[in-house]
Amino acid sequence: MADSPEPLDFLDVDHLLTDEERAIRDTVRDWVGERVLPGIETWFEAGEFPLEVAKELGGMGLLGMHLTGYGCAGSNAVSYGLACLELEAGDSGFRSYVSVQGSLCMFPIWKFGSEEQKERWLPPMARGEVIGCFGLTEPDAGSDPGRMRTSARRDGDDWVLSGTKMWITNGSVADLAIVWARTDEGIRGFLVPTETPGFSASDVHRKLSLRASVTSELVLDEVRLPGDAVLPGVTGMKGPLSSLSEARFGIVWGSMGAARACFASALEYAKTRVQWGKPIGGFQLTQRKFADMAVELNKGTLLALHLGRMKDEGRLSPQHVSMGKLNNVREALEIAREARTILGASGITLEYPVIRHMNNLESVLTYEGTTEIHTLILGEALTGLRAYE
Ligand SMILES: Cc1cc2nc3c(=O)[nH]c(=O)nc-3n(C[C@H](O)[C@H](O)[C@H](O)COP(=O)(O)OP(=O)(O)OC[C@H]3O[C@@H](n4cnc5c(N)ncnc54)[C@H](O)[C@@H]3O)c2cc1C
């Protein structure tokens, strides 16, 4: 028989990875240990995202890492997922930064952009010199973004954009905003340099979740753009939705990183915290919590790996991603909440990572399609009947 399983990788998922995937995973894990964990409590408490640290992500090839050419690393989907997992084990804010930059901003340029747009924007974005944001959600259009009001009209050769976007990650620190707007031809994506007159961004304050991440409102007041600012390769909701599918894939993995961090923290605590004369990890009720958490953590990680292999084989559909996002974020949040109970009163402080991850996961549950919307996407895929409108 083999040795007793390793608590943090009970099913030996490590064995299912290639040497290259393991090397990328270890590099990101080490970087998170050196650059994220020492500062994250301070940044979270102050409500700041350390852009100077994040710029290093470009140097490691993590920005747009699953894209090919134009200075992107061209890694496989599993490697990208593993990077997301390790980053989110640090904090969801860092995984969000990488998801927004690589999947929500670079992917649509890479997939739907002109050659000039790709050459101009992708290399500096891959290096982290140009920061992107993705403007889809509006104050009155969240789960149903197709009803957006932001519009773009032609004026001679130019486009003129007007509208408001809400809850936009990196909005006020971005150099380039990908803005989705209604046109006479349908919804189109626009590349908006944020120094363009009429563009402004202000931050959302008093957040109790994803505090180490910038969230902004964008206002576009008659923003005039040249005719070639539009993404030529897509019209309609396919543009933003396909980008969201890419980012959701990262969440399927990342959420398991947050869950693993909570599990590890509670496990350590339960072995040393003594009540009734023995470590609380020795009580049956605590062990049941760990057993349940370990089952979901391992199932979720295997699901992420399975979806990653399907993506690398070109067999992954948006509905598969919905299943992964629905399950893994829901279970990660349950693991975080259960871990929090094991830490008792200590679990409500920032001395331990658990409540930070728990609060972050509330945002992750909502953004990139809420739990309810992914449930309805699965419902439609299973029954053929659409229930969300
Ligand atoms: C921290 C953070 C960062 C974000 N970053 C970005 C970003 O970078 N870019 C961007 O464009 N957006 C971003 N978002 C916005 C996010 O995508 C939206 O919040 C999300 O789509 C939900 O929209 P809403 O908040 O308006 O909720 P609503 O759509 O108003 O939903 C409220 C509730 O109603 C439920 N609901 C809605 N429709 C149905 C239905 N048909 N059946 C049953 N229940 C339903 C929802 O599931 C939810 O529970 C971010 C959000 C957060 C919190």
Side-chain angles (χ1 to χ4, degrees):
M1 289 294 277
D3 295 339
S4 181
E6 151 68 29
L8 294 184
D9 183 16
F10 202 84
L11 294 180
D12 200 11
V13 174
D14 192 79
H15 183 72
L16 302 175
L17 306 177
T18 64
D19 288 346
E20 191 184 342
E21 288 162 353
R22 269 192 290 269
I24 290 173
R25 190 267 319 271
D26 291 346
T27 304
V28 181
R29 187 182 287 183
D30 291 347
W31 183 82
V32 168
E34 282 165 30
R35 301 295 281 142
V36 179
L37 296 184
I40 190 59
E41 287 153 25
T42 309
W43 298 321
F44 187 92
E45 197 166 12
E48 285 169 6
F49 180 67
L51 267 181
E52 68 285 0
V53 174
K55 284 216 183 321
E56 295 171 26
L57 296 167
M60 290 196 297
L62 299 184
L63 302 177
M65 74 183 278
H66 59 310
L67 307 179
T68 47
Y70 310 98
C72 302
S75 307
N76 70 357
V78 169
S79 298
Y80 171 55
L82 288 163
C84 288
L85 188 151
E86 295 303 331
L87 288 170
E88 197 146 359
D91 191 82
S92 303
F94 280 79
R95 200 269 309 137
S96 295
Y97 178 87
V98 166
S99 290
V100 168
Q101 180 82 353
S103 292
L104 292 182
C105 297
M106 294 172 70
F107 173 80
I109 299 174
W110 181 84
K111 181 88 180 160
F112 305 118
S114 66
E115 200 50 40
E116 292 74 35
Q117 289 169 339
K118 292 180 200 186
E119 275 163 20
R120 174 173 174 197
W121 294 109
L122 291 178
M125 291 180 91
R127 291 193 296 270
E129 292 163 11
V130 166
I131 298 175
C133 72
F134 176 87
L136 177 65
T137 306
E138 299 187 356
D140 295 325
S143 298
D144 184 12
R147 282 175 211 251
M148 69 177 66
R149 291 200 192 135
T150 298
S151 65
R153 64 179 158 77
R154 281 279 195 186
D155 185 23
D157 284 344
D158 292 348
W159 288 97
V160 179
L161 269 66
S162 288
T164 304
K165 296 289 177 182
M166 192 61 198
W167 306 112
I168 307 306
T169 302
N170 285 345
S172 68
V173 296
D175 305 290
L176 177 71
I178 312 289
V179 175
W180 299 94
R182 180 174 294 288
T183 72
D184 285 345
E185 307 138 27
I187 288 171
R188 307 285 310 259
F190 293 86
L191 306 187
V192 185
T194 55
E195 81 263 3
T196 313
F199 180 97
S200 59
S202 54
D203 287 343
V204 176
H205 294 293
R206 308 183 79 196
K207 287 184 299 171
L208 296 178
S209 174
L210 267 186
R211 288 184 56 75
S213 175
V214 175
T215 313
S216 317
E217 178 184 35
L218 311 182
V219 175
L220 298 113
D221 180 11
E222 297 280 298
V223 172
R224 181 171 290 273
L225 299 168
D228 63 1
V230 70
L231 290 172
V234 72
T235 302
M237 285 304 290
K238 180 176 173 231
L241 292 184
S242 57
S243 311
L244 283 165
S245 260
E246 292 292 308
R248 288 166 183 162
F249 172 78
I251 292 177
V252 174
W253 287 85
S255 52
M256 286 297 106
R260 189 191 70 199
C262 293
F263 178 80
S265 178
L267 196 58
E268 202 50 43
Y269 188 85
K271 284 195 265 185
T272 53
R273 172 70 179 171
V274 174
Q275 288 293 288
W276 312 95
K278 69 176 191 182
I280 57 169
F283 296 116
Q284 290 180 353
L285 288 178
T286 313
Q287 292 192 358
R288 176 172 185 173
K289 291 179 186 179
F290 281 122
D292 287 345
M293 286 194 278
V295 167
E296 293 307 330
L297 180 59
N298 281 271
K299 275 159 60 179
T301 308
L302 279 175
L303 173 59
L305 181 61
H306 179 66
L307 296 186
R309 296 283 181 235
M310 288 178 85
K311 191 170 190 327
D312 280 325
E313 290 164 11
R315 295 192 299 120
L316 190 71
S317 74
Q319 292 81 1
H320 290 133
V321 180
S322 285
M323 180 177 275
K325 202 231 173 204
L326 173 67
N327 182 76
N328 283 12
V329 182
R330 187 167 65 187
E331 295 306 329
L333 192 51
E334 271 311 304
I335 289 170
R337 287 176 179 151
E338 202 74 293
R340 220 287 307 149
T341 68
I342 292 170
L343 270 72
S346 301
I348 71 157
T349 73
L350 277 176
E351 296 301 309
Y352 295 89
V354 177
I355 200 160
R356 175 169 53 80
H357 283 299
M358 189 175 110
N359 281 7
N360 285 342
L361 286 166
E362 291 289 350
S363 285
V364 182
L365 196 71
T366 286
Y367 69 24
E368 316 251 354
T370 65
T371 303
E372 292 78 10
I373 296 302
H374 287 296
T375 303
L376 295 171
I377 290 171
L378 289 185
E380 182 185 4
L382 296 168
T383 65
L385 303 168
R386 177 177 271 232
Y388 46 88
E389 59 186 0

